[in-house]
Amino acid sequence: MRRITSSGATPAAAAAGLLLRPGRLGEVLAVAALLASALLPLAEAATEAPPPASSARHDYEDALRKSLLYFEAQRSGRLPHGQRVAWRDHSGLTDGLEQGVDLVGGYYDAGDHVKFGLPMAFTVTMLSWSLLEYGADVADAGELAHALESIKWGTDYFIKAHTRPHELWAEVGDGDTDHYCWQRPEDMTTSRQAYKVDRDRPGSDVAGETAAAMAAASMVFREHNPHYASLLLHHALQLFEFADKYRGKYDSSIAEVKSYYASVSGYHDELLWAALWLHRATGRAQYLDYVVDNADDFGGTGWAITEFSWDVKYAGVQILAARLLLSGEHSPRHRETLEQYRAKAEHYVCACLGKNAADGNVERSPGGMLYVRQWNNMQYVTSAAFLLSVYSSYLSSSSSSAGGGEQQSVTCAAGGEAAASAAEVFALARAQVDYVLGSNPRGMSYLVGYGARFPARVHHRAASIVPYKHSKEFIGCAQGFDDWFIRKGANPNVVVGAIVGGPDRRDRFRDQRENYMQTEACTYNTAPMVGMFAMLNRLARDEAPQPPRPEASSASQPGGETSVNR
């Protein structure tokens, strides 16, 4: 883990004993430990029961609107006329210039100004999956255009970054120099060096994830912009072929990324993940064959995982494969392997429910939050909420299609807890969303800008400094630390829609700018919540008491006239 020392710190930073956000090496080492233990036999049954869900009511429509604003705050490049986050301005306008390519655009991943390709692609995949599952609900809330914009801002950048069939620019900026600097993106003086993967320096993980993002997004745009959807699918097919043909970890080709977004899980999960998305986008059997034929060698039916993230995709792979089994979208030769994928998918679901054997469960805080690790734990909470919700939906749809037959349920390992219903799985998903929105012991919303109480000192360079549009006077690296970072007051700009790292395993949270493990937000924290907020908004309306209607009036289903092509 890289730390800034007093010899490299500004006077203010040194006086504060400042440790700059050192990348994600601690998180990476924890992932390595998880993977090392994922195949171990499970021990005795768990006994801890989940806490009761909060009965608090939330304004999910407001949360949806605000979550989509966050992606506008994270934009790099030349901002459009319709930009709603007014305290941001153009930035990174020369990205790629030194390398002779146009890499302007895309997203900053968090509170700094490096464009990391792997988490950016995962963000776009999850935004797209949100719309594929809950697009009608997003449209019904009037936010479909903004959701599509959030995806397209990322995919437009990926099209630029995919300069040749076997070449993908995977990073712009240098994490080390960036983290020695505290300034607005509009004032950037740090390195904008760009890094790529190609045939000689492969990166199957970043190329595979980008293929997944493009394939998922192609389905989203199929109805709204068919030409663009075809272009995205073309890039997705090329990227998958590149990722599979020239195999290797991208952090072995780009050393600069290792301290920040190292690929600890390797690239096999991304290859399976991309193949599943390409199967869903194209319907071509060759991609399902790939997922089945490589299930054992790539760990798809071997790893029993208890987290889902920008690095570790196995739980998502297993749930997507289980969907194909439950929906009957497979041939007889695929069934046995898809059953194995489903077993591992349900290990993840049961781990979240606390119904696996003791060593195979996700920890819960006293307030009911799923807890994986101290650094940015909310990423695991939001991704779990999404996976649990979609899996409960797949179970319910399978039961309905059976024509009144036996209800599908989740099979768990713990004795005496043989099954969990789709309703029980969904209840946990909703409880996690509600925890994020303030149904927690602190009564704090970890979605910035939502509710009466939310983090005010988000670890975010642009938010913590006076807006460029209000003061165009240049603010340098050291000046940003001396004049802005060390201030004790609230940030001058509110990063509306950001979901911060969140509380620790005991629901404790320190709203301090230097506490980057808890107060920094990332795009992949919020991305899974877009669909969740929209869907819960519909459910909340359905649950609310309705005034009596005249018999002649018939209500249409929410979002019934607007769909996203699946």
Side-chain angles (χ1 to χ4, degrees):
M1 183 176 288
R2 180 180 64 80
R3 294 185 176 185
I4 188 168
T5 62
S6 58
S7 61
T10 68
L18 173 65
L19 294 181
L20 281 182
R21 187 174 72 96
R24 293 169 175 81
L25 193 53
E27 178 184 334
V28 160
L29 292 174
V31 172
L34 168 84
L35 292 171
S37 63
L39 290 175
L40 294 177
L42 300 177
E44 56 199 70
T47 56
E48 185 176 350
S54 170
S55 59
R57 300 189 71 85
H58 291 290
D59 187 343
Y60 299 111
E61 186 170 343
D62 185 47
L64 169 64
R65 286 195 300 267
K66 287 174 173 171
S67 69
L68 287 166
L69 277 172
Y70 172 57
F71 297 100
E72 297 189 24
Q74 295 304 108
R75 285 172 171 170
S76 178
R78 184 168 294 279
L79 303 185
H81 292 299
Q83 171 80 10
R84 296 178 295 165
V85 179
W87 49 268
R88 281 297 322 284
D89 210 329
H90 312 310
S91 63
L93 298 182
T94 61
D95 285 358
L97 183 63
E98 292 180 25
Q99 289 72 38
V101 292
D102 178 6
L103 297 176
V104 176
Y107 287 114
Y108 302 121
D109 73 302
D112 45 28
H113 306 138
V114 183
K115 294 192 296 199
F116 292 105
L118 182 58
M120 192 193 307
F122 180 65
T123 295
V124 172
T125 307
M126 295 308 296
L127 282 169
S128 299
W129 197 0
S130 276
L131 286 196
L132 291 171
E133 300 292 342
Y134 305 121
D137 297 326
V138 175
D140 192 53
E143 290 296 321
L144 181 60
H146 293 137
L148 293 174
E149 286 172 10
S150 70
I151 295 171
K152 193 171 185 293
W153 194 267
T155 51
D156 283 351
Y157 175 77
F158 297 145
I159 291 170
K160 291 181 176 184
H162 185 211
T163 42
R164 292 184 179 87
H166 298 150
E167 181 177 272
L168 176 68
W169 295 87
E171 180 180 339
V172 179
D174 173 66
D176 290 348
T177 59
D178 185 272
H179 287 188
Y180 275 91
C181 207
W182 195 267
Q183 61 183 162
R184 300 172 299 197
E186 296 84 3
D187 292 324
M188 268 192 293
T189 56
T190 51
S191 169
R192 301 308 288 171
Q193 175 72 33
Y195 305 89
K196 68 178 179 178
V197 293
D198 55 26
R199 288 177 292 185
D200 299 323
R201 293 156 296 190
S204 299
D205 27 32
V206 67
E209 182 59 59
T210 310
M214 302 286 249
S218 76
M219 289 183 281
V220 172
F221 284 100
R222 191 173 291 162
E223 178 181 331
H224 307 281
N225 190 338
H227 174 75
Y228 189 66
S230 297
L231 178 62
L232 293 179
L233 187 57
H234 170 73
H235 280 278
L237 293 167
Q238 284 192 344
L239 282 164
F240 179 75
E241 191 268 342
F242 167 42
D244 189 40
K245 185 174 181 179
Y246 300 98
R247 294 182 184 178
K249 289 175 58 179
Y250 89 124
D251 58 13
S252 296
S253 299
I254 304 174
E256 289 76 7
V257 81
K258 262 192 171 169
S259 295
Y260 301 94
Y261 285 101
S263 182
V264 177
S265 69
Y267 56 80
H268 287 146
D269 51 341
E270 276 86 10
L271 290 177
L272 295 171
W273 176 246
L276 280 164
W277 281 113
L278 281 167
H279 175 259
R280 189 165 175 177
T282 66
R284 297 178 191 172
Q286 70 190 76
Y287 295 110
L288 182 53
D289 290 343
Y290 184 96
V291 171
V292 168
D293 294 344
N294 291 290
D296 184 50
D297 289 346
F298 286 7
T301 54
W303 291 112
I305 296 294
T306 56
E307 68 178 67
F308 176 58
S309 70
W310 59 264
D311 179 26
V312 187
K313 312 289 173 20
Y314 281 110
V317 166
Q318 291 153 358
I319 281 177
L320 282 178
R323 170 186 171 272
L324 296 174
L325 177 72
L326 290 166
S327 64
E329 298 175 48
H330 61 278
S331 66
R333 91 166 188 89
H334 297 137
R335 184 172 186 84
E336 182 179 355
T337 303
L338 291 178
E339 291 277 11
Q340 295 173 39
Y341 272 113
R342 179 182 178 181
K344 289 300 188 290
E346 296 196 346
H347 173 89
Y348 173 82
V349 173
C350 294
C352 294
L353 290 168
K355 291 189 174 185
N356 280 330
D359 291 341
N361 289 312
V362 179
E363 184 180 344
R364 297 275 189 93
S365 73
M369 175 188 68
L370 294 171
Y371 181 82
V372 176
R373 60 182 58 91
Q374 65 179 10
W375 194 323
N376 188 19
N377 185 67
M378 274 300 167
Q379 67 176 303
Y380 308 108
V381 172
T382 62
S383 62
F386 184 85
L387 288 191
L388 292 169
S389 178
V390 297
Y391 195 64
S392 71
S393 176
Y394 300 159
L395 288 172
S396 297
S397 296
S398 179
S399 298
S400 299
S401 64
E406 184 179 352
Q407 293 292 306
Q408 290 280 358
S409 60
V410 178
T411 302
C412 297
E417 296 284 357
S421 67
E424 185 177 353
V425 174
F426 178 74
L428 177 58
R430 185 170 186 168
Q432 296 306 299
V433 175
D434 288 349
Y435 186 103
V436 172
L437 294 180
S439 297
N440 57 61
R442 294 182 59 86
M444 172 174 279
S445 164
Y446 295 106
L447 177 74
V448 178
Y450 174 86
R453 189 163 176 248
F454 51 83
R457 299 164 189 84
V458 180
H459 183 96
H460 191 281
R461 285 157 175 77
S464 68
I465 301 174
V466 62
Y468 182 77
K469 290 181 178 179
H470 294 175
S471 175
K472 290 184 168 59
E473 181 181 349
F474 176 77
I475 296 174
C477 290
Q479 183 185 355
F481 280 116
D482 293 341
D483 293 352
W484 296 97
F485 180 85
I486 64 171
R487 292 190 178 199
K488 301 301 182 186
N491 289 346
N493 310 303
V494 180
V495 197
V496 173
I499 294 178
V500 297
D504 66 12
R505 60 172 19 109
R506 296 180 62 187
D507 303 302
R508 297 173 301 190
F509 180 78
R510 289 187 300 111
D511 186 11
Q512 297 173 1
R513 202 168 293 113
E514 67 271 18
N515 181 23
Y516 51 80
M517 288 191 180
Q518 293 190 322
T519 63
E520 188 168 29
C522 297
T523 56
Y524 44 85
N525 294 15
T526 298
M529 289 292 94
V530 169
M532 291 296 295
F533 292 147
M535 176 269 295
L536 288 171
N537 176 53
R538 168 175 52 83
L539 289 186
R541 286 204 317 266
D542 292 346
E543 293 164 355
Q546 298 294 322
R549 296 171 179 265
E551 286 189 14
S553 173
S554 62
S556 62
Q557 289 296 315
E561 297 180 358
T562 307
S563 65
V564 173
N565 198 317
R566 302 189 180 199

